[in-house]
């Protein structure tokens, strides 16, 4: 660990070159923080990104206004240099807040003084402040350095997964899953997890809990489970389970057991992909991520790919660029006609798609008479070059044309 002059210790090494996603919650979850008490609560405070960790041990006039501290840096201090000097303590904290640090943790050793002016500035800037008991500042810094190293390793795994999901190559899929999880079994299954919206826990604390669950699961199902592995993938966690060739009934029971164990480990949303051949492992990952998104949007604790039904087909179609290009072409033809003639064919077609072809429900949604909807559909058929198409066939086409529009789970 390098020392910058006499003012601070900074956690800086080659891993800082990577795009990190360490948050304030991750830092506060370090073992060095034995007890943490919020001083100033800011909305989303524990989700703020941390780019570095620094120790404050001098007045701002000795460090050029704390120029060595970077925006996004998490600061730990006991304000020992400002002991019994409330004015210096206030000035130092105000300068730090103005530097745009990600958070400030004050060790209780010298009973640091935090004025109302500092609290107001902290709240206005969204910079959270905490009181803590625990290890020395150097211990915090070393643990943070290890966390940064670990996050870099997780980022490397994320890039492998990005490559796996960028296309489909059976040989590449096998190689990637072996590199990630040491998977050599017959099949693989992915379960994606994320914290519930009201639980700002450390993603790495959840990863550690998931790793323990997977190890115990493998031990108890060792006759069917060949390998297990968990890692961070962007804002989620992916658990990969590689199976030997167990009977179908055993696999069903083991999946249910693993899901229950993961739910018991924390407040999480789970998306469960299907078991696939190892060479199609990317498919299970795609399924798990789509199911997780559904769980997050709907507020469910667990969603299985097999339970998505229509939404599963929508998510699957979302992988096809040609499909969406064709759908966009059909929508554009209707929209252009509306622009030229002042009609509402596109809105009517979308309403029919949302109603799965039920013209009465579509008319109610549009506040129109069913005969008006039928007339507009006839015009839409003409525009799309399908004048003789039966209503049922045309409604099926519109369901494809507006597939993404009718599924809020696929919206940004």
């Amino acid at each position: 660990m390098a020392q910058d002059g006499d003012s601070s210790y900074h956690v800086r090494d080659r891993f800082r070159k990577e795009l990190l996603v360490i948050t304030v919650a991750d830092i506060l979850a370090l073992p060095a923080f034995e007890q943490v008490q919020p001083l100033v609560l800011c909305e989303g405070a524990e989700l703020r990104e941390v780019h570095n960790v620094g120790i404050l041990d001098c007045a701002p006039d000795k460090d050029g206004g704390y120029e060595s501290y970077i925006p996004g840096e998490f600061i730990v201090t006991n304000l020992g240099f400002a002991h019994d000097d409330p004015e210096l303590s206030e000035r130092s904290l105000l300068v730090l807040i103005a530097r745009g640090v990600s958070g400030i943790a004050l060790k209780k050793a010298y009973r640091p003084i935090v004025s109302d002016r500092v609290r107001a500035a902290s709240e206005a800037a969204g910079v959270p402040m905490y009181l803590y008991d625990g290890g020395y500042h150097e211990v915090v810094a070393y643990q943070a350095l290890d966390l940064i190293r670990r996050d870099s390793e997780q980022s490397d795994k994320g890039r492998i997964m990005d490559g796996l999901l960028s296309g489909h190559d059976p040989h590449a899929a096998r190689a990637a899953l072996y590199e990630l999880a040491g998977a050599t079994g017959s099949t693989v299954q992915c379960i994606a997890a994320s914290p519930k919206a009201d639980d700002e826990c450390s993603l790495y604390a959840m990863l550690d809990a998931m790793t323990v669950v997977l190890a115990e699961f493998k031990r108890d199902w060792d006759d069917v489970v060949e390998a297990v592995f968990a890692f961070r993938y962007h804002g989620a966690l992916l658990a990969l389970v590689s199976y030997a060739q167990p009977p179908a009934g055993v696999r069903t029971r083991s999946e249910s057991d693993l899901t229950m164990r993961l739910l018991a480990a924390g407040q999480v949303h789970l998306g469960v992909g299907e078991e696939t051949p190892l060479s199609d492992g990317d498919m299970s990952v795609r399924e798990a991520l789509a199911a997780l998104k559904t769980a997050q949007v709907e507020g469910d604790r667990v969603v299985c790919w097999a339970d998505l039904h229509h939404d599963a087909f929508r998510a699957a179609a979302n992988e096809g660029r040609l499909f969406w290009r064709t759908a966009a072409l059909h929508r554009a033809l209707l929209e252009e006609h509306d622009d030229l003639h002042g009609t509402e064919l596109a809105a009517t077609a979308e309403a029919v798609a949302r109603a799965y072809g039920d013209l009465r429900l579509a008319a109610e949604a549009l506040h129109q008479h069913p005969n008006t909807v039928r007339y507009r559909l006839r015009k839409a058929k003409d525009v799309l070059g399908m004048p003789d198409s039966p209503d049922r066939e045309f409604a099926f086409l519109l369901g494809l044309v507006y597939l993404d529009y009718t599924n809020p789970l696929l919206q940004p």
Side-chain angles (χ1 to χ4, degrees), residues 30-350:
L30 292 171
F33 290 100
E34 297 172 4
Q35 186 176 26
V36 179
Q37 172 190 342
L39 267 178
V40 179
L41 293 175
C42 305
E43 184 176 356
E46 294 188 350
L47 299 180
R48 288 169 65 89
E49 291 188 8
V50 175
H51 303 299
N52 198 21
V53 174
I55 297 174
L56 176 68
D57 58 5
C58 73
D61 55 338
K62 295 184 179 179
D63 188 30
Y66 294 155
E67 290 180 357
S68 63
Y69 296 98
I70 63 175
E73 188 165 20
F74 189 90
I75 305 300
V76 288
T77 182
N78 58 20
L79 290 178
F81 63 88
H83 185 50
D84 293 331
D85 190 341
E87 188 278 332
L88 177 56
S89 176
E90 177 180 89
R91 184 160 56 91
S92 300
L93 292 174
L94 289 175
V95 173
L96 269 184
I97 293 169
R99 289 290 298 165
V101 298
S102 62
I104 303 171
L106 304 173
K107 189 173 172 62
K108 293 180 179 179
Y110 294 107
R111 297 182 180 180
I113 299 172
V114 180
S115 68
D116 290 341
R117 185 182 175 194
V118 169
R119 291 174 186 266
S122 174
E123 184 175 0
V127 176
M129 298 184 66
Y130 306 89
L131 284 176
Y132 82 95
D133 286 316
Y136 291 109
H137 303 145
E138 290 80 5
V139 176
V140 175
Y142 275 119
Q143 290 181 358
L145 174 61
D146 185 63
L147 184 63
I148 290 173
R149 176 197 57 76
R150 184 181 181 189
D151 193 66
S152 178
E153 293 174 350
Q154 293 291 310
S155 296
D156 290 341
K157 293 177 173 62
R159 281 188 284 274
I160 294 173
M161 182 56 68
D162 285 337
L164 178 63
L165 298 180
S166 66
H168 177 65
D169 180 330
H171 298 294
R174 281 182 171 275
L177 290 171
Y178 177 77
E179 186 173 1
L180 284 170
T184 59
S186 173
T187 62
V188 69
Q189 183 176 25
C190 179
I191 297 180
S194 68
K196 294 184 70 174
D198 57 353
D199 183 11
E200 293 185 346
C201 71
S202 163
L203 201 61
Y204 281 95
M206 182 190 295
L207 177 58
D208 290 340
M210 179 180 284
T211 300
V212 171
V213 167
L214 287 173
E216 294 173 347
F217 173 73
K218 185 180 186 306
R219 180 197 63 204
D220 295 341
W221 293 87
D222 191 56
D223 54 334
V224 296
V225 175
E226 183 266 337
V228 294
F229 187 72
F231 65 101
R232 175 185 61 76
Y233 184 60
H234 300 302
L237 300 175
L238 297 184
L240 297 173
V241 180
S242 176
Y243 290 95
Q245 192 69 48
V250 174
R251 255 282 300 110
T252 301
R253 294 197 304 274
S254 67
E255 175 188 307
S256 176
D257 180 47
L258 177 56
T259 300
M260 294 304 296
R261 293 184 190 216
L262 290 172
L263 289 175
Q267 295 298 310
V268 297
H269 297 292
L270 296 180
V272 183
E274 290 293 292
E275 178 192 18
T276 66
L278 199 61
S279 57
D280 289 331
D282 61 303
M283 297 299 179
S284 186
V285 176
R286 297 175 200 273
E287 292 169 354
L289 289 172
L292 175 62
K293 185 172 183 180
T294 302
Q296 292 169 327
V297 172
E298 299 291 345
D300 295 328
R301 293 205 68 191
V302 57
V303 171
C304 298
W305 176 256
D307 297 332
L308 288 179
H309 304 304
H310 291 91
D311 290 342
F313 284 96
R314 291 181 175 113
N318 197 41
E319 298 289 338
R321 293 173 59 209
L322 183 59
F323 179 96
W324 296 119
R325 180 179 174 86
T326 305
L329 171 63
H330 285 72
R331 293 196 298 267
L333 291 173
L334 295 175
E335 292 163 0
E336 288 171 4
H337 183 278
D338 287 341
D339 290 341
L340 289 174
H341 302 282
T343 54
E344 297 182 27
L345 303 186
T348 302
E350 181 178 342

